[in-house]
Amino acid sequence: MNFKLKIWRQKNSKDKGRFVDYTIENVADDTSFLEMLDILNEKLIANNEDPVAFDHDCREGICGTCSLHINGRPHGPKPKVTACQLFMRTFRDGEQITIEPWRAKSFPVIRDLITDRGAFERIIQAGGFISASTGSAPDGNAIPIPKADAEWAMDAAACIGCGACVAACKNASAMLFVSAKVAHLGKLPQGKVEAKKRVLNMIAQMDKEGFGSCTNTYACEAECPKGISVANIAYLNREFLKAGLS
Amino acid sequence: MALDSKIPSGPIEKKWYNHKFNLKLVNPSNRRKYHIIVVGTGLAGGAAAATLGEMGYNVTAFCYQDSARRAHSIAAQGGINAAKNYRNDGDSVYRLFYDTVKGGDYRAREANVYRLAELSNNIIDQCVAQGVPFAREYGGYLDNRSFGGAQVSRTFYARGQTGQQLLLGAYSSLSRQVAEGTVTVHGRHEMLDVVIIDGKSRGVIVRDMVTGEIKSFAADAVVLATGGYGNVYYLSTNAKGCNTTAIWRAHKKGAFFGNPCFVQIHPTCIPVSGEHQSKLTLMSESLRNDGRVWVPVKKGDTRKPKDIPEAERDYYLERRYPSFGNLVPRDVASRAAKQVCDEGRGVGTSKMAVYLDFADAIKRQGKARIEEKYGNLFDMYQEITDENPYELPMRIYPAIHYTMGGLWVDYNLMTTIPGLFAGGEANFSDHGANRLGASALMQGLADGYFVLPSTVSGYLGSTELKKVTTDAPEFKVAEKEVKDRITKLLSVKGKYSVDHYHKKLGKIMWDYVGMSRNEAGLKSAITEIRALREDFWKNVRVLGEGEELNQSLEKAGRVADFLELGELLASDALNRRESCGGHFREESQTEDNEAKRDDENYSYVSAWEYKGDGVEPELHKEELTFEHCKPSQRSYK
């Protein structure tokens, strides 16, 4: 397969950045999207040109490192997969593919397609945990947890922290990310003790980081590679209101 | 230098208990005066940094990823073992201990493994308290499954994402300590050297991967939890960034390397599809609980799987190992797959694959139940291969997955350099020659939450440490070495990319130091690796500069280290003229091609000492003694 690529190149955080056109030929259809970029980079290196910098690590859809905006969509056109699990057979032969970094004020570009997602770190540090120091735990079966609650918690906990929700949102809101953590911990009895403090602190940090507000367009859920539900946002709003009232 | 494993005396059930009592303590109010560096933030590193922070130490953690949450522990699918015996099926600490020593083919230390089994229960409790959403039954209690050949159901799991959930648990504890101010985490920082002052490990040199700045950090103790070195084979189930640099640099500074040739080749991975392939994807071993492994009886059978009648299928694991069937340990299953493919009975276009068939399980349990158990794995398989595993059998083939070898450590997880500790996959300690399924997560967390916090404290409490700053000449020398090496890599300006060399190295390793090894092959591997290494330093092309984000430069440094480690791995495999666990020497097999161990000559841990570039490393032997698990030839028949 052959493709025309339009890739965002930006030397560093101070550079203005621009799109650069490339062509790539004879790509096997079972090549992954990141492997296609590997092939391009090998070609660039052979021509003494700087390879394209992009974030990636596990290449099996779980680490949340890869973060490519492909043809205007986070992680590309295929629902519920990360860019590393996207294969070239998804595209038409000869298609032009535009590749950009996440676009959000809170995720500044470091180089080319790599952004700084440190804002997510600070949100978790603000309250995305249960204060259970090592050694203090009772037996794992001491507190039974209804299966439905455990399943909801697991659904929310499946978030990989990639930031696609922010990149998809016209307001660059981080509500899906934050709500997934609030719901994961809040649904479990162990997490209820700190629920109020958690939701208030995480929301405060989210606002401080400059993420936009949620206007319920559900673009985040549509683009989330792990299918995190917007029902978590409803849960978060309820928790937030409750915390404010009590 | 004589190896001292520092195994405590006394009965095995009391060793850890007594040892903890004998370890010196550090007064809570004094702990903040000690600075501990933790490199790597996976299960072992993340848990250790968080716990040391909770205890009140001043901790600095580094990871090459942008966030501690992305360490490759996250990719572990199947589960974590613990001897809870919640199923009342005869499990116990002793049985988990026994299974692990046996599974490791009697090449692990009994005392370490017993401690691991003992701590396994505390891990589950700790993780539940942190909010890890383990699978539960309708009564609200924790669910278990049998995994990877265990005859009891002792594996706890969170769907097919157990590693992710455990890591996020450790990460949340770590984040809490960052907020408390006890831990500082530096993401996008790569450790490039360890600094030794007065014979003790007193700090590290790191490169800020965004600015390229080389920085020094001084400390009272350093913990390396930087994972395994499977990427020396280029293709593996490891993340692309996984590398040996931290432990290799430590090795070159004096830390012995234990059992480098013990590499685990996982039987159920998606087969290689072409030249462009950059990594291999594991399909959880739990699939073998319900899937049946087979190949056609006839060589070169090109019929579609559904057109091959039952009588012309060879369920070779069930045939050869009737009592364990499809659940034989990983090393046995991998080797059997290689044998049938070598016989010309492999399937798929490459003929280097076998079927893992769920048709019977779907017929017996219904599609819904199979979907509930393995849904995400089936989806992943379909995503990658474009085939529907509910209708067609999966095609699988073994791939490099885990390295049992690593830095040699004593019972305290301290390397041969005082003050330098190694935890998780980075050390050699608990899995012998083969790791059992669902035991990596257990070991990472046992080391991180429980062992290292006690033993690092014990070291600090009993060692006189003079004040050291990064102005010390040792830091300046190490910084210069690191900078010179980067300059050297950038100034070669040769013809070939780093990946070119990495792929070539991987091929040598896979062909000669893979699932089946022999003397001639290993000798060729050593010769070829040396030639490749020489060529690398003459002809590698690394573009760009040192003082910027430069992914080619990052890779170049790692591959340069793999080119050295690869040779040690092959040398260790050459030295060990026996078959044990994942290490299969063709010269040492039984009449029916099973691995044959040689306890008389090789019941030891190989600990290699670096003697200088171009100089043969020196082999030290830690003899293994077995008081509880009497070595027997493993049989899964």
Side-chain angles (χ1 to χ4, degrees):
Chain A
M1 299 176 86
N2 303 329
F3 301 100
K4 296 190 203 78
L5 306 173
K6 205 176 182 59
I7 302 180
W8 184 259
R9 300 303 306 262
Q10 184 176 335
K11 189 95 180 134
N12 52 47
S13 57
K14 292 182 190 79
D15 183 18
K16 209 164 157 266
R18 70 214 63 85
F19 279 108
V20 178
D21 293 324
Y22 301 94
T23 56
I24 187 160
E25 280 140 20
N26 293 323
V27 176
D29 63 352
D30 61 356
T31 307
S32 77
F33 198 84
L34 302 190
E35 286 164 356
M36 184 274 293
L37 288 176
D38 291 342
I39 297 170
L40 173 72
N41 278 343
E42 287 297 291
K43 206 174 107 180
L44 292 176
I45 293 168
N47 293 333
N48 270 317
E49 291 175 55
D50 266 341
V52 179
F54 61 97
D55 255 337
H56 65 95
D57 205 20
C58 79
R59 297 203 176 191
E60 48 188 279
I62 193 76
C63 72
T65 309
C66 65
S67 42
L68 300 176
H69 215 243
I70 301 163
N71 285 345
R73 298 182 64 181
H75 296 301
K78 213 163 174 201
K80 291 198 184 176
V81 293
T82 52
C84 64
Q85 296 294 86
L86 184 66
F87 288 82
M88 295 318 290
R89 57 176 172 264
T90 317
F91 298 89
R92 273 178 293 110
D93 193 17
E95 188 173 342
Q96 170 166 301
I97 304 173
T98 307
I99 312 169
E100 296 171 79
W102 285 169
R103 300 288 193 191
K105 190 178 78 184
S106 309
F107 292 160
V109 173
I110 297 174
R111 177 165 195 165
D112 294 342
L113 303 169
I114 299 180
T115 58
D116 177 358
R117 287 169 287 188
F120 273 11
E121 300 293 294
R122 294 183 289 274
I123 291 174
I124 296 295
Q125 287 156 15
F129 49 77
I130 291 170
S131 301
S133 296
T134 304
S136 54
D139 184 87
N141 261 347
I143 308 171
I145 300 175
K147 192 173 165 71
D149 289 349
E151 294 292 324
W152 182 320
M154 181 61 222
D155 284 340
C159 168
I160 57 174
C162 65
C165 46
V166 174
C169 179
K170 64 183 171 120
N171 306 325
S173 166
M175 282 287 269
L176 193 66
F177 170 77
V178 177
S179 68
K181 191 47 66 186
V182 166
H184 158 211
L185 299 177
K187 279 279 171 185
L188 300 170
Q190 290 86 353
K192 291 205 192 297
V193 181
E194 294 167 288
K196 181 177 160 182
K197 196 172 115 197
R198 177 180 309 119
V199 70
L200 294 176
N201 289 349
M202 288 180 79
I203 293 283
Q205 189 63 35
M206 179 183 86
D207 290 343
K208 205 168 133 192
E209 297 289 348
F211 290 102
S213 300
C214 173
T215 48
N216 295 314
T217 65
Y218 301 171
C220 51
E221 180 184 276
E223 299 293 8
C224 174
K226 295 293 146 183
I228 304 293
S229 165
V230 291
N232 292 306
I233 298 183
Y235 177 88
L236 176 140
N237 284 332
R238 204 160 55 240
E239 289 288 295
F240 185 69
L241 267 178
K242 253 171 37 190
L245 292 173
S246 60
Chain B
M1 181 182 162
L3 287 172
D4 180 3
S5 57
K6 301 211 174 77
I7 296 171
S9 56
I12 199 155
E13 305 81 9
K14 287 277 180 194
K15 281 183 197 290
W16 178 236
Y17 182 85
N18 290 340
H19 187 64
K20 272 198 296 184
F21 180 74
N22 291 327
L23 283 170
K24 291 279 182 294
L25 300 173
V26 177
N27 180 311
S29 60
N30 279 339
R31 291 181 195 155
R32 67 188 161 76
K33 295 176 194 160
Y34 287 98
H35 183 213
I36 302 165
I37 284 175
V38 179
V39 186
T41 59
L43 290 182
T51 305
L52 288 163
E54 287 162 6
M55 292 165 78
Y57 290 106
N58 173 14
V59 181
T60 305
F62 298 96
C63 62
Y64 74 76
Q65 299 88 349
D66 67 324
S67 163
R69 68 179 290 155
R70 307 202 199 282
H72 198 54
S73 305
I74 203 158
Q77 297 167 355
I80 177 166
N81 286 330
K84 285 282 194 187
N85 194 30
Y86 283 158
R87 314 300 282 198
N88 195 28
D89 57 358
D91 201 9
S92 62
V93 167
Y94 199 88
R95 189 178 293 282
L96 176 54
F97 153 67
Y98 186 89
D99 286 354
T100 307
V101 173
K102 180 187 175 202
D105 219 356
Y106 305 96
R107 290 294 173 264
R109 256 187 226 144
E110 281 191 336
N112 284 53
V113 178
Y114 192 89
R115 174 176 67 187
L116 176 68
E118 235 181 323
L119 292 172
S120 66
N121 292 338
N122 304 73
I123 295 170
I124 300 304
D125 301 341
Q126 182 59 31
C127 294
V128 168
Q130 285 170 343
V132 170
F134 283 120
R136 286 180 184 267
E137 298 179 317
Y138 283 101
Y141 294 108
L142 292 159
D143 194 12
N144 292 109
R145 61 183 171 200
S146 148
F147 196 80
Q151 292 186 311
V152 289
S153 290
R154 61 160 73 106
T155 304
F156 295 77
Y157 64 102
R159 295 196 192 141
Q161 291 134 274
T162 316
Q164 180 200 27
Q165 293 311 315
L166 297 177
L167 182 64
L168 292 180
Y171 168 73
S172 67
S173 289
L174 187 65
S175 298
R176 175 174 158 238
Q177 290 312 305
V178 172
E180 297 271 343
T182 60
V183 181
T184 310
V185 180
H186 295 275
R188 295 196 199 273
H189 276 68
E190 181 162 40
M191 184 197 123
L192 295 181
D193 215 344
V194 47
V195 178
I196 318 283
I197 298 177
D198 295 339
K200 298 187 187 81
S201 157
R202 296 306 302 267
V204 294
I205 310 291
V206 297
R207 179 172 179 272
D208 179 330
M209 292 156 71
V210 176
T211 63
E213 193 189 340
I214 304 299
K215 305 174 184 170
S216 287
F217 287 83
D220 298 298
V222 175
V223 176
L224 301 184
T226 53
Y229 48 88
N231 274 349
V232 67
Y233 290 81
Y234 185 69
L235 285 180
S236 81
T237 64
N238 286 2
K240 291 297 286 178
C242 293
N243 66 81
T244 190
T245 291
I247 60 171
W248 189 251
R249 300 300 168 88
H251 173 59
K252 292 182 81 168
K253 282 284 167 87
F256 291 6
F257 208 113
N259 295 333
C261 82
F262 288 165
V263 169
Q264 178 159 83
I265 297 179
H266 196 292
T268 55
C269 300
I270 299 178
V272 176
S273 69
E275 273 300 303
H276 54 267
Q277 191 131 2
S278 61
K279 80 152 271 157
L280 297 171
T281 303
L282 173 81
M283 299 308 295
S284 169
E285 187 159 34
S286 60
L287 292 169
R288 284 199 281 148
N289 284 344
D290 285 304
R292 298 180 70 195
V293 178
W294 65 277
V295 290
V297 171
K298 271 200 313 228
K299 281 183 192 176
D301 193 332
T302 52
R303 284 176 293 176
K304 290 191 175 130
K306 67 171 169 40
D307 298 333
I308 302 177
E310 208 52 35
E312 292 174 49
R313 298 176 176 196
D314 179 12
Y315 294 90
Y316 59 89
L317 290 177
E318 297 171 22
R319 171 174 59 79
R320 286 177 61 177
Y321 310 101
S323 71
F324 278 70
N326 294 296
L327 293 172
V328 289
R330 293 176 175 178
D331 54 337
V332 178
S334 292
R335 226 161 17 244
K338 181 180 189 304
Q339 282 165 8
V340 294
C341 291
D342 288 350
E343 286 163 23
R345 298 196 285 145
V347 300
T349 46
S350 66
K351 300 288 165 207
M352 292 306 275
V354 299
Y355 288 129
L356 179 62
D357 200 334
F358 290 88
D360 283 352
I362 290 172
K363 208 182 296 168
R364 201 172 58 245
Q365 304 172 38
K367 191 181 162 201
R369 178 73 183 128
I370 295 299
E371 201 173 339
E372 188 192 345
K373 284 200 232 177
Y374 312 113
N376 63 330
L377 297 170
F378 277 43
D379 292 349
M380 188 160 90
Y381 180 84
Q382 187 160 9
E383 234 24 276
I384 293 171
T385 62
D386 214 13
E387 285 178 3
N388 181 353
Y390 291 102
E391 285 159 16
L392 287 170
M394 285 183 179
R395 285 173 296 110
I396 53 161
Y397 198 67
I400 298 290
H401 178 56
Y402 185 89
T403 52
M404 283 74 70
L407 291 182
W408 184 91
V409 289
D410 63 16
Y411 189 72
N412 294 316
L413 305 186
M414 190 157 86
T415 67
T416 48
I417 300 174
L420 183 70
F421 295 79
E425 194 179 349
N427 73 30
F428 88 102
S429 98
D430 296 355
H431 307 295
N434 173 55
R435 180 175 64 73
L436 290 179
S439 285
L441 302 183
M442 171 172 71
Q443 186 225 337
L445 289 180
D447 288 359
Y449 284 132
F450 300 106
V451 183
L452 286 164
S454 301
T455 59
V456 172
S457 295
Y459 169 78
L460 296 174
S462 61
T463 310
E464 197 144 329
L465 293 157
K466 67 168 194 189
K467 183 132 184 68
V468 160
T469 69
T470 54
D471 294 327
E474 288 86 348
F475 276 98
K476 298 301 159 202
V477 171
E479 264 190 37
K480 184 169 182 308
E481 279 171 11
V482 164
K483 285 179 184 163
D484 287 350
R485 192 163 186 268
I486 289 172
T487 311
K488 198 172 158 195
L489 283 167
L490 290 167
S491 60
V492 180
K493 298 194 191 299
K495 285 192 292 246
Y496 303 110
S497 71
V498 177
D499 276 2
H500 165 88
Y501 287 100
H502 199 175
K503 284 181 185 175
K504 283 198 152 184
L505 173 65
K507 184 154 176 14
I508 298 170
M509 297 302 295
W510 183 246
D511 287 349
Y512 298 125
V513 205
M515 269 185 283
S516 186
R517 304 159 174 186
N518 62 53
E519 184 170 333
L522 291 166
K523 285 183 171 161
S524 308
I526 293 170
T527 315
E528 288 183 30
I529 294 167
R530 284 181 184 161
L532 188 67
R533 192 165 64 223
E534 209 179 300
D535 191 55
F536 173 89
W537 284 102
K538 278 188 198 145
N539 283 314
V540 72
R541 176 180 294 181
V542 185
L543 299 174
E545 292 154 40
E547 293 79 31
E548 61 178 351
L549 190 154
N550 187 338
Q551 292 179 316
S552 301
L553 178 63
E554 293 161 16
K555 274 198 278 193
R558 295 168 190 168
V559 171
D561 290 332
F562 280 134
L563 281 163
E564 295 180 8
L565 165 80
E567 183 180 333
L568 184 69
L569 207 162
S571 303
D572 185 42
L574 184 62
N575 169 69
R576 193 172 282 276
R577 209 184 160 86
E578 64 158 349
S579 298
C580 61
H583 171 64
F584 187 74
R585 277 292 296 265
E586 288 161 16
E587 296 90 339
S588 183
Q589 50 183 314
T590 63
E591 277 165 14
D592 45 358
N593 304 114
E594 299 294 340
K596 198 166 126 198
R597 229 177 39 236
D598 178 356
D599 290 330
E600 205 170 313
N601 296 302
Y602 294 99
S603 183
Y604 62 77
V605 174
S606 308
W608 296 89
E609 181 181 5
Y610 174 78
K611 290 293 206 181
D613 285 332
V615 183
E616 292 290 321
E618 187 182 341
L619 174 64
H620 300 262
K621 298 174 181 176
E622 180 199 339
E623 294 296 335
L624 293 167
T625 48
F626 295 92
E627 289 170 30
H628 299 270
C629 312
K630 284 291 160 223
S632 59
Q633 209 64 37
R634 281 192 307 164
S635 172
Y636 295 95
K637 288 186 189 286

